[in-house]
Amino acid sequence: MADTHLNAGERPDLTGLDPALYNEDQLPTTAAERNWSWVSIAALWVGMVVCIPAYLLASYLIDAGMSWDQAVATILLANAIVLIPMVLVGHAGTKYGIPFPVLLRSSFGPAGAKIPAVARGIVACGWFGIQTWVGGSAIYVILNTLMGGALASDPLPILGISAGEFVCFVAFWALHVYFIKNGTEAIRWLETYAAPFLLAMGLALLYWAYANAGGFGAMLSTPSAFDVGQPREGEFWQVFWPSLTGMIGFWATLALNIPDFTRHARSQKDQFIGQLIGLPLPMALFAFIASAVTSATVVIYGEAIWDPIQLAERMGGASILIALFALIVATLTTNLAANVVAPAHGFANLAPSKINLKRGGYITAGIGLVMFPWVLVNHIVGWLLAYSALLGPIAGIMLADYYLLRKTRLQVADLFKSDGIYAGRNGTNWAGVLALIIGILPNVPGFLVGVGLSDGTSDFFATIYTYAWFVGLFVSGGAYLLLSRLMARRVSQSA
């Protein structure tokens, strides 16, 4: 069968495709839809990078004992590492114009692909809720300050937050629903125009801190807690490895569903340069801004203020309104791109003929609303490490399938057929499903300890869990290749 990749952006012949396996949003992009330059993709990343959780990443590392430069270097390294699978998986989106759930069918089968697609979607729903809560909190804190505390009240039963906090959360949630209604191009428009504004606001904040503190303060000269003579001398690597894994986990989600965006890229060069410019360096720059500004707050206010919402509250005056607008834009651009598109495609993949991308987005918003994100946000570091143990194996299987087994050649039309070459047994490629289980298993003991369901585990499994993403990626990738060969041999012998 001839290779059906879309040199001219033409869609494959729909003859013989299973109507239950596609809708207009899942079919390969046309030439007209492939209009994202490297600037568009870089802007997409800048819009996602500049957000409150990313601002707080350096604080977690510094609280763990790192100096600011160790924290920034760890974040830079983590994003340089995750950029590799990001670009490699993104290649398939650009070459074939297909979204993440459709690409999964190559390694899991059309039915089996629903498992990792939904797993990725549930993770994104959690992040959607967290980001929406953070943005709603920014609105609440700043409005409450402007109104002299008039919004403050006792927590509501069951919810555990005040009525004012809940209303601001729902209002910000409704703003997301508006952009979901208007589709991917509306999101691209927002990201493109917001990126320079967000960078300018970050640099303006850095200048404000420097000018008002007469420098960046003593924090930037504070030694690492792991240095000779310091409280945790010699313990750096014990903290570094789980921290690196957690920082990789921050964007490991996008390393899977990046085809949802690169399918709109004009060329492989555009998707590569856009991601190279848009991800590692902006993440490191944002971490430095967070570290420098927080260091300056010690001089200005007499205490370290990591939370940008609290900082805006302390700044007062017109700064509150500017900060409110900036925080809303920053959180909105991150949430729409990183935490709506992927689960929307994933949920649509459950029943493509009934659920399109817009309806999948509504489902995402609904789940994010009921996940009590104000509780989940307090466990963000453990959350990062835990889901990296799930996403690493999915990435390993996808990379092994696309590069080592398929040699980047896919028969696109067969990805939309229930009886095509990727159908496996009854629509499931059991090599992919079993490899996913095998890739997750080594991290289960550490995960159970991490979420409090077990009192402890052996040093071996505890160590493995600190490298959860790496372990899952390589174990599942190797298992997938082995199982694929064994199953292919069995089929040939029985034929």
Side-chain angles (χ1 to χ4, degrees), residues 111-389:
K114 296 177 181 180
I115 299 171
V118 170
R120 165 66 181 97
I122 294 299
V123 170
C125 287
W127 267 117
F128 174 86
I130 288 174
Q131 292 275 14
T132 306
W133 166 248
V134 167
S137 296
I139 297 172
Y140 169 79
V141 168
I142 296 173
L143 288 180
N144 192 45
T145 301
L146 292 173
M147 297 172 66
L151 293 180
S153 62
D154 293 332
L156 296 171
I158 301 176
L159 292 179
I161 56 176
S162 71
E165 289 174 313
F166 184 69
V167 168
C168 289
F169 168 67
V170 172
F172 192 51
W173 176 87
L175 185 59
H176 287 79
V177 173
Y178 168 80
F179 279 95
I180 291 172
K181 179 182 178 181
N182 286 278
T184 305
E185 274 303 301
I187 295 174
R188 182 178 79 97
W189 176 88
L190 177 66
E191 301 288 344
T192 300
Y193 287 98
F197 167 74
L198 293 174
L199 282 175
M201 292 306 299
L203 294 175
L205 180 61
L206 189 65
Y207 174 77
W208 170 88
Y210 184 86
N212 283 272
F216 289 129
M219 184 182 292
L220 295 191
S221 60
T222 301
S224 167
F226 312 116
D227 289 350
V228 176
Q230 298 301 316
R232 302 187 63 183
E233 178 182 343
E235 298 180 15
F236 175 77
W237 296 111
Q238 298 174 28
V239 173
F240 171 77
W241 288 112
S243 297
L244 181 69
T245 302
M247 295 305 105
I248 289 173
F250 192 78
W251 288 124
T253 51
L254 265 292
L256 297 182
N257 74 285
I258 194 64
D260 293 341
F261 301 104
T262 60
R263 66 196 293 244
H264 297 283
R266 297 185 308 190
S267 67
Q268 296 293 353
K269 182 179 179 181
D270 282 300
Q271 75 101 356
F272 172 70
I273 294 177
Q275 296 203 76
L276 179 65
I277 293 174
L279 176 58
L281 290 178
M283 277 294 290
L285 173 63
F286 204 46
F288 169 72
I289 291 175
S291 302
V293 171
T294 303
S295 180
T297 61
V298 177
V299 177
I300 300 170
Y301 300 113
E303 62 177 320
I305 303 175
W306 277 104
D307 189 338
I309 299 174
Q310 293 180 16
L311 178 58
E313 186 180 9
R314 292 289 290 270
M315 290 168 70
S319 298
I320 291 183
L321 296 177
I322 297 171
L324 174 62
F325 182 70
L327 290 171
I328 289 173
V329 172
T331 307
L332 187 65
T333 55
T334 299
N335 222 13
L336 287 170
N339 303 316
V340 171
V341 175
H345 274 297
F347 294 132
N349 192 56
L350 290 174
S353 61
K354 299 178 181 178
I355 306 174
N356 59 16
L357 190 61
K358 187 180 297 184
R359 289 173 183 168
Y362 292 151
I363 293 171
T364 300
I367 294 175
L369 186 65
V370 301
M371 286 186 75
F372 280 55
W374 46 89
V375 176
L376 190 60
V377 72
N378 295 321
H379 306 280
I380 194 169
V381 176
W383 167 251
L384 285 172
L385 188 57
Y387 74 62
S388 72

Side-chain angles (χ1 to χ4, degrees), residues 7-22:
N7 290 320
E10 297 176 353
R11 286 177 174 165
D13 184 356
L14 299 185
T15 304
L17 303 195
D18 189 337
L21 289 180
Y22 72 91

Side-chain angles (χ1 to χ4, degrees), residues 61-153:
L61 301 184
I62 290 174
D63 284 346
M66 290 188 184
S67 59
W68 75 268
D69 53 330
Q70 288 174 337
V72 171
T74 300
I75 291 170
L76 177 61
L77 178 59
N79 285 279
I81 291 172
V82 82
L83 178 67
I84 298 171
M86 200 82 69
V87 170
L88 292 176
V89 176
H91 182 280
T94 301
K95 184 174 183 179
Y96 296 105
I98 53 177
F100 165 62
V102 174
L103 177 60
L104 280 172
R105 295 173 185 174
S106 172
S107 49
F108 288 89
K114 296 177 181 180
I115 299 171
V118 170
R120 165 66 181 97
I122 294 299
V123 170
C125 287
W127 267 117
F128 174 86
I130 288 174
Q131 292 275 14
T132 306
W133 166 248
V134 167
S137 296
I139 297 172
Y140 169 79
V141 168
I142 296 173
L143 288 180
N144 192 45
T145 301
L146 292 173
M147 297 172 66
L151 293 180
S153 62

